[in-house]
């Protein structure tokens, strides 16, 4: 397996908190292992996020408009993405986006 090197700068307090966690628990052998697992976990969360799924759906639709992909292939991809969307999560994300937009519009009008 090939590895990429990444330099990460933390505030001193966060670095100390991570070190303390590693010392207290022994779950991870070093900060590098901790950071790799944190990144994996965050990616899993993002990939399951309804807003990210909606963004991918939007991108897929934009690509479909410009591509020569068959309708069947597009329908299959849309169906697969649709199965990942939780209706309640989508409704909540839309409500939150509306509230955020309303707040931004209200602030810009003030």
């Amino acid at each position: 397996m090939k590895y990429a090197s990444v330099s990460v700068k933390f505030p001193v307090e966060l670095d100390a908190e991570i070190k303390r966690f590693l010392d207290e628990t022994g779950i991870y052998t070093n900060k590098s292992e901790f950071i790799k697992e944190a990144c994996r976990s965050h990616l899993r969360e993002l990939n399951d996020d309804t807003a990210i799924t909606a963004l991918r759906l939007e991108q897929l639709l934009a690509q479909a408009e410009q591509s020569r992909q068959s309708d069947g292939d597009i329908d299959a991809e849309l169906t697969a993405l649709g199965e990942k969307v939780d209706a309640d999560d989508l409704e909540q994300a839309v409500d939150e986006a509306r509230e955020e937009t309303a707040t931004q519009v209200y602030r810009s009008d003030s």
Side-chain angles (χ1 to χ4, degrees), residues 7-55:
S7 177
V8 180
K9 292 184 180 182
F10 290 123
V12 174
E13 297 83 10
L14 180 57
D15 186 55
E17 190 176 337
I18 291 170
K19 284 180 184 177
R20 187 172 41 257
F21 175 81
L22 296 177
D23 292 342
E24 290 173 357
T25 65
I27 293 173
Y28 299 99
T29 58
N30 56 44
K31 284 193 284 186
S32 178
E33 186 181 334
F34 177 85
I35 293 166
K36 283 188 280 189
E37 185 55 36
C39 289
R40 284 187 194 104
S41 177
H42 189 59
L43 277 173
R44 281 191 297 269
E45 281 180 28
L46 288 173
N47 280 316
D48 290 341
D49 186 87
T50 302
I52 298 297
T53 301
L55 174 64

Side-chain angles (χ1 to χ4, degrees), residues 52-54 56-58 60 76-85:
I52 298 297
T53 301
R56 287 181 172 149
L57 181 57
E58 186 177 306
L60 178 62
E77 288 184 46
L78 289 172
T79 299
L81 281 172
E83 291 171 358
K84 292 183 179 182
V85 174

Side-chain angles (χ1 to χ4, degrees), residues 81-100:
L81 281 172
E83 291 171 358
K84 292 183 179 182
V85 174
D86 180 294
D88 293 334
D89 286 349
L90 180 59
E91 183 177 347
Q92 181 180 350
V94 168
D95 289 344
E96 288 172 4
R98 285 181 179 153
E99 287 177 21
E100 185 177 323

